Amino acid sequence: MEVDLTGTNPESFPELATWGWPVAGYLFLGGLVAGLMILAAVLRSRGAVYQDGVKKADLLALPLLVLGLILLWVDLGNRWNAWRFFTTFEVTSAMSWGSWILLLASAVLFVRLVQSWVDSEGWMPRGTRSVFGWVARLGQRLSRPLDALAIVVGTSLGFYTGILLSSISARPLWDSIWLAPLFLVSGLASAGAFLCLVSINETHVRLAPFSMAMCGVEAALLTVYLGALSVAGTAYSDAAGTLLAGSYSWIFWGVVIAIGLAIPLGIEIGERRQAIGSKVAKSAPIMKLGGALGLRAVILFAGLASML
Amino acid sequence: MTRLAMSVDVDLCLGCEACLVACQTENELPEDRYRLRMVHITQGTFPNLTGEFFVESCYHCQDAPCVNVCPTGATYQNEAGVVLVDPTKCTGCKACVTACPYGMRYLHPNGYVDKCTLCEHRFDVGQLPACVETCPTGARAFGDLDDAADPIHEVMNAARSVSTATSKAGAEPRMFYLNATLIDDLDQEAFVISREET
């Protein structure tokens, strides 16, 4: 039997080409920021050794989120209609939930950024000092409720990056309840790695085991996610197969597993045993972050190619 | 209630693609974008060949996944069950293109997502959809499933078989293929059709 088609549109047939690298980048940054929000909130009251990491998280989380939002905006077909996200709430749409979560996250992160900036006596435009001072005082006064809110919003944001995909049941690779926890845990691992990278050495030493533990949980969740897909039916096992042994397997095994999990684990173990110097050890978080981006990219692209 | 739907008699369809052209012209679509997709099926070995054509377009599913994922309400289902897109509300986020299990949506070069509207603008003034009106063999029928007196019932009742695209992702497609035979043998999952003998 021979089948010919006329009237195909390049973005929807024979293979979906709707979401590209900007969306993969956004999913990565969304997860990273979610992890930074949660980590900063948890570590704020945990002693001086973590405060450099908390400060870096407060200063950098909002710019990273803004970068992610710019990537999302770039991917829109009708960019000047982006304000429409905030004129309605569509209860069945994960993206609508996400829009409001991102707005709330931005508000929380703005207060923490200003507070941290004012504390470090950074430059401020003339006339804004009193406004920023008021925001900083608000952050100090409401520090505990803000941290509680940051944990809730950060968890929601981390879950949302997975639910955005898993709510689309037409793509079997995404149609799994395990995607949301996987992306949240990967976000926490990324946040740990990021703080290891940008913080002073003491914070790095303290946070490295946390980041590695999260990578372990991530590996376990990946196994459960792919295992569940493999037994869910032909379309689902075929979709999982593209990651494990198909056209996307080189990204999965090479970037996600080897560069993102196995090699950093080896480096961290080597560092603990003092077999590897601290300069080499600094490469572990970079690799973990690369692996986290690779995870989003491979699940995004292989998912678009998967069909019911 | 009104439940608008379309049927294509596969016995009568010549695969001339006049419907594709009529749709493009009526709806002023870009040259390289289509709301309809023609599937040509050929079976056998030359010279003993048999063929069949079936036209796909938005199935205006009963429980449309594209409607559920839209974050701005731009994609909606009207009272007659027709799934439509309001371009003024559409952000071009492409969630609906991704959610359609049949690949029947595309991004218009003007930034919004586009698809078959069953020529709603023509229906409103008492005209048939452009593809139905243009079909030279009368293979297409259009009407209200909830109106027992609508001629679409006569066409469907007279058919030897009625097929619909297989329901995927919870969608219940509402486009009917009449008298199809080879379609059932398609092994590509994208085209698997569930068939009902009448």
Side-chain angles (χ1 to χ4, degrees):
Chain A
M1 182 176 283
E2 194 177 299
V3 177
D4 295 309
L5 299 166
T6 316
T8 56
N9 294 307
E11 60 276 81
S12 56
F13 204 92
E15 202 166 275
L16 267 185
T18 46
W19 289 335
W21 276 102
V23 175
Y26 158 71
L27 292 175
F28 165 67
L29 289 170
L32 172 61
V33 170
L36 287 174
M37 286 182 84
I38 297 168
L39 267 186
V42 171
L43 296 178
R44 200 175 305 279
S45 56
R46 291 282 170 100
V49 70
Y50 293 113
Q51 294 319 303
D52 182 60
V54 171
K55 190 178 172 185
K56 298 275 169 55
D58 286 346
L59 285 171
L60 295 172
L62 185 59
L64 288 168
L65 188 64
V66 170
L67 179 62
L69 292 175
I70 290 171
L71 290 176
L72 263 193
W73 184 74
V74 164
D75 191 68
L76 294 179
N78 207 353
R79 293 181 194 128
W80 304 116
N81 251 2
W83 59 275
R84 291 275 187 186
F85 285 114
F86 304 105
T87 58
T88 181
F89 174 62
E90 300 293 327
V91 72
T92 59
S93 164
M95 201 180 278
S96 183
W97 280 86
S99 306
W100 291 103
I101 289 170
L102 285 165
L103 198 66
L104 199 54
S106 303
V108 173
L109 292 173
F110 175 74
V111 175
R112 286 304 190 198
L113 170 63
V114 169
Q115 190 187 343
S116 196
W117 191 255
V118 168
D119 286 350
S120 58
E121 297 179 354
W123 178 85
M124 272 176 275
R126 196 181 286 268
T128 60
R129 195 169 288 272
S130 61
V131 178
F132 284 158
W134 180 82
V135 174
R137 282 193 298 281
L138 185 76
Q140 279 162 357
R141 210 172 304 150
L142 300 175
S143 192
R144 284 196 154 204
L146 259 183
D147 279 339
L149 186 61
I151 290 171
V152 173
V153 175
T155 306
S156 307
L157 179 58
F159 269 127
Y160 158 66
T161 58
I163 291 172
L164 177 67
L165 300 184
S166 66
S167 65
I168 296 175
S169 52
R171 309 291 136 204
L173 190 68
W174 300 344
D175 193 6
S176 167
I177 57 163
W178 296 103
L179 209 51
L182 174 64
F183 278 17
L184 174 66
V185 168
S186 169
L188 282 166
S190 306
F194 182 78
L195 291 184
C196 284
L197 197 64
V198 298
S199 304
I200 54 171
N201 204 36
E202 277 181 347
T203 313
H204 174 158
V205 171
R206 294 287 185 105
L207 281 177
F210 165 79
S211 181
M212 283 323 300
M214 284 297 111
C215 285
V217 178
E218 185 184 330
L221 281 169
L222 252 179
T223 309
V224 174
Y225 162 62
L226 291 173
L229 281 178
S230 300
V231 295
T234 311
Y236 300 88
S237 59
D238 287 352
T242 60
L243 289 191
L244 296 171
S247 46
Y248 294 91
S249 58
W250 67 273
I251 309 180
F252 181 72
W253 292 111
V255 179
V256 179
I257 302 298
I259 295 175
L261 295 172
I263 299 173
L265 179 67
I267 291 174
E268 304 247 345
I269 292 171
E271 191 194 16
R272 298 227 141 226
R273 292 181 181 171
Q274 296 181 332
I276 286 175
S278 63
K279 275 191 180 170
V280 177
K282 276 279 181 190
S283 64
I286 297 172
M287 285 195 266
K288 275 189 236 168
L289 290 168
L293 175 61
L295 175 72
R296 281 15 175 240
V298 78
I299 289 181
L300 181 71
F301 299 140
L304 287 172
S306 68
M307 274 176 74
L308 277 175
Chain B
M1 282 280 282
T2 306
R3 249 182 344 133
L4 296 177
M6 195 177 281
S7 72
V8 181
D9 188 333
V10 177
D11 255 1
L12 296 177
C13 179
L14 301 171
C16 67
E17 298 177 5
C19 50
L20 268 77
V21 177
C23 173
Q24 277 202 312
T25 310
E26 173 68 27
N27 296 295
E28 297 175 358
L29 305 185
E31 265 183 32
D32 57 347
R33 293 293 189 278
Y34 304 88
R35 290 181 179 180
L36 309 183
R37 186 164 62 218
M38 177 68 82
V39 183
H40 311 240
I41 310 164
T42 314
Q43 196 177 44
T45 314
F46 184 81
N48 300 314
L49 296 172
T50 49
E52 206 163 74
F53 307 96
F54 78 103
V55 187
E56 291 188 289
S57 63
C58 171
Y59 291 125
H60 297 278
C61 304
Q62 189 90 32
D63 188 8
C66 54
V67 173
N68 294 335
V69 299
C70 180
T72 62
T75 287
Y76 64 101
Q77 201 155 23
N78 73 9
E79 287 167 357
V82 183
V83 177
L84 297 167
V85 180
D86 180 349
T88 64
K89 284 187 180 176
C90 181
T91 61
C93 71
K94 294 161 282 186
C96 56
V97 183
T98 310
C100 174
Y102 306 102
M104 293 318 311
R105 289 174 163 248
Y106 71 93
L107 189 69
H108 193 282
N110 289 347
Y112 56 87
V113 169
D114 192 44
K115 58 175 281 297
C116 164
T117 60
L118 290 179
C119 285
E120 188 212 20
H121 60 287
R122 291 171 61 94
F123 178 72
D124 287 347
V125 293
Q127 292 179 313
L128 289 169
C131 58
V132 177
E133 194 174 84
T134 298
C135 183
T137 61
R140 285 173 171 268
F142 171 75
D144 178 7
L145 293 177
D146 281 352
D147 178 1
D150 195 293
I152 195 170
H153 289 288
E154 200 179 317
V155 174
M156 288 174 67
N157 291 337
R160 294 188 306 279
S161 69
V162 177
S163 311
T164 55
T166 307
S167 180
K168 294 175 180 178
E172 286 178 49
R174 252 197 338 226
M175 179 152 165
F176 304 96
Y177 297 103
L178 313 179
N179 305 318
T181 51
L182 294 182
I183 287 172
D184 300 343
D185 298 331
L186 273 177
D187 55 3
Q188 291 186 22
E189 289 218 340
F191 302 114
V192 169
I193 301 278
S194 60
R195 187 178 187 208
E196 214 174 271
E197 297 294 336
T198 55

